[in-house]
Amino acid sequence: MLFIVKENHDISSLLEKIRMASASYKVVDIYGKRIVIAWPDNLVENIEDISIDAKIRVRKPYYLVSNEWKSGKTIVNVGGVEIGGSRIVVAAGPCAVEDEDILMEIAKAVKRAGASILRGGAYKPRTSPYSFQGLGEKGLKILKRVSEAVGLPVVTEVMDTRDVELVKSYADMIQIGARNSQNFTLLREVGRAKIPVLLKRGFGMTVEEWLLAAEYILSEGNGDVVLCERGIRTFEKSTRFTIDIGGMVIAKMQTHLPIAADPSHPAGNRDLVEPLALAAIVAGADMLIVEVHANPSKALSDSEQQLTVEMFEKLMKRLKAVAEAIGRSI
Ligand code: PEP
Ligand code: MN
């Protein structure tokens, strides 16, 4: 049950009534409101209090993420770029930050082609401990310099709670990768960090589990979350992962949060990225995050799926045409 508190009202008597009912609660300040979440519903449904503006029984287990209580879409502002409005936002850049000159070249090219956020990993979640692991803080410094020189805000992954504050000091948006999307300690930490979060869907997660992962972040008072579909594991081996467009649409129907799609990781092959990107925006994605490299065959990670600059330019042209056809812009 969500108790939306009247502005500047004392909640001590409400909390006392919840305790007397033997229910649990959490007080969250989010979207300019104070909300008391109390559960289970059956113990608190008859509670009334002078401090309550509205009492909403959300039927989904992800209370704050659900659109049952919040009217209108949430817009997430990343360094001045609004995600969740009618304009589709494209983030682009290499899988990993490898070198300042290469990143500068890629950043200028993707900006020229119409991207409005720069992506690049400094901490890379690699399957093998012997693969390139990313440049760490050095990579963050490179990202920041390039971001400022080119004028694009940055999204980059954090893998460890110990690095959240550091990454926050360099980035405009933090990415939680597929492999960490049920690392609940990390989710709470980025919730407390109050920085926009791009939450990838784990490749073994149901849509409900993905939305509950977002609930961990919101329940710490951070409402700036974008949910990103990036493909799930199925029996199909011809693609790297199976992009779940249906699941992405279901997620969008359940939440007020913006939805993104990553067409690169499910493709695993650069020729497949464009059709998946087009499909995702037709299905309602508010944002795309695409891997682009100046020389993909030399890339230190995900070289098969990174687009060349020329391919990205072509993709942007086609995205613009499709966006227009569905009444949106890029
Ligand atoms: C990435 O964006 O480079 C990445 C590792 O993504 P995911 O966590 O979705 O595999
Ligand atoms: Mn990658």
Side-chain angles (χ1 to χ4, degrees):
M1 190 78 71
L2 300 182
F3 294 101
I4 318 287
V5 178
K6 286 183 195 152
E7 223 177 303
N8 298 323
H9 261 70
D10 177 39
I11 55 172
S12 49
S13 70
L14 170 61
L15 298 185
E16 183 57 20
K17 287 172 192 170
I18 296 171
R19 281 192 291 267
M20 291 299 285
S22 303
S24 304
Y25 66 87
K26 186 165 172 59
V27 183
V28 183
D29 291 316
I30 193 164
Y31 305 123
K33 292 182 177 15
R34 171 157 288 185
I35 299 175
V36 178
I37 308 171
W39 68 94
D41 285 340
N42 61 320
L43 295 183
V44 295
E45 61 196 353
N46 295 322
I47 289 180
E48 302 295 343
D49 192 77
I50 180 82
S51 65
I52 301 171
D53 195 19
K55 189 162 99 181
I56 303 164
R57 183 178 202 140
V58 178
R59 285 156 304 175
K60 299 289 175 359
Y62 37 88
Y63 303 131
L64 296 172
V65 164
S66 167
N67 55 13
E68 282 180 45
W69 74 278
K70 187 175 180 288
S71 56
K73 296 280 174 198
T74 292
I75 305 275
V76 175
N77 188 316
V78 176
V81 176
E82 292 191 339
I83 305 166
S86 76
R87 182 167 166 245
I88 295 163
V89 170
V90 179
C95 177
V97 178
E98 302 171 352
D99 165 279
E100 186 152 350
D101 292 341
I102 298 176
L103 186 67
M104 191 70 83
E105 185 184 342
I106 300 168
K108 284 181 181 158
V110 298
K111 182 171 184 182
R112 207 180 315 118
S116 42
I117 298 178
L118 177 65
R119 67 145 287 149
Y123 297 92
K124 295 304 302 175
R126 303 307 300 281
T127 303
S128 165
Y130 310 117
S131 300
F132 175 61
Q133 304 284 307
L135 299 178
E137 188 171 2
K138 184 175 165 212
L140 295 175
K141 290 197 162 108
I142 293 175
L143 264 175
K144 183 83 185 165
R145 280 197 294 270
V146 171
S147 153
E148 280 172 357
V150 177
L152 286 177
V154 158
V155 57
T156 194
E157 179 162 356
V158 69
M159 290 165 56
D160 192 314
T161 51
R162 291 168 294 187
D163 298 325
V164 170
E165 280 307 308
L166 181 75
V167 175
K168 182 183 168 183
S169 68
Y170 290 103
D172 301 283
M173 182 181 220
I174 281 183
Q175 174 173 322
I176 298 291
R179 290 154 190 81
N180 264 314
S181 48
Q182 281 187 308
N183 179 338
F184 302 118
T185 317
L186 184 60
L187 295 173
R188 284 200 199 278
E189 197 65 28
V190 295
R192 285 191 281 264
K194 308 270 161 63
I195 175 172
V197 178
L198 183 71
L199 176 64
K200 296 277 195 105
R201 176 181 180 186
F203 42 75
M205 275 162 77
T206 63
V207 170
E208 184 171 289
E209 287 164 342
W210 181 27
L211 297 170
L212 280 165
E215 186 79 10
Y216 270 87
I217 303 172
L218 268 65
S219 68
E220 294 299 327
N222 184 354
D224 290 330
V225 175
V226 178
L227 294 156
C228 182
E229 164 61 31
R230 50 78 68 210
I232 53 175
R233 268 223 167 115
T234 66
F235 55 81
E236 181 53 63
K237 289 195 282 196
S238 60
T239 51
R240 188 175 176 197
F241 296 95
T242 300
I243 191 166
D244 184 11
I245 298 283
M248 185 190 87
V249 174
I250 292 287
K252 185 156 176 151
M253 288 162 75
Q254 306 300 324
T255 184
H256 52 86
L257 297 171
I259 305 283
D262 169 350
S264 302
H265 289 87
N269 160 359
R270 67 186 119 266
D271 293 327
L272 204 58
V273 172
E274 180 179 302
L276 298 187
L278 293 170
I281 68 160
V282 171
D286 300 298
M287 173 185 177
L288 291 173
I289 178 162
V290 184
E291 289 190 341
V292 181
H293 198 284
N295 191 352
S297 63
K298 292 267 163 55
L300 299 178
S301 57
D302 288 347
S303 69
E304 301 291 316
Q305 73 201 24
Q306 302 207 53
L307 297 185
T308 62
V309 167
E310 295 69 35
M311 290 175 92
F312 181 68
E313 287 167 347
K314 177 172 160 265
L315 169 65
M316 287 302 290
K317 285 202 184 91
R318 302 207 61 194
L319 285 173
K320 278 186 189 131
V322 171
E324 223 165 89
I326 58 170
R328 298 185 79 169
S329 61
I330 291 221

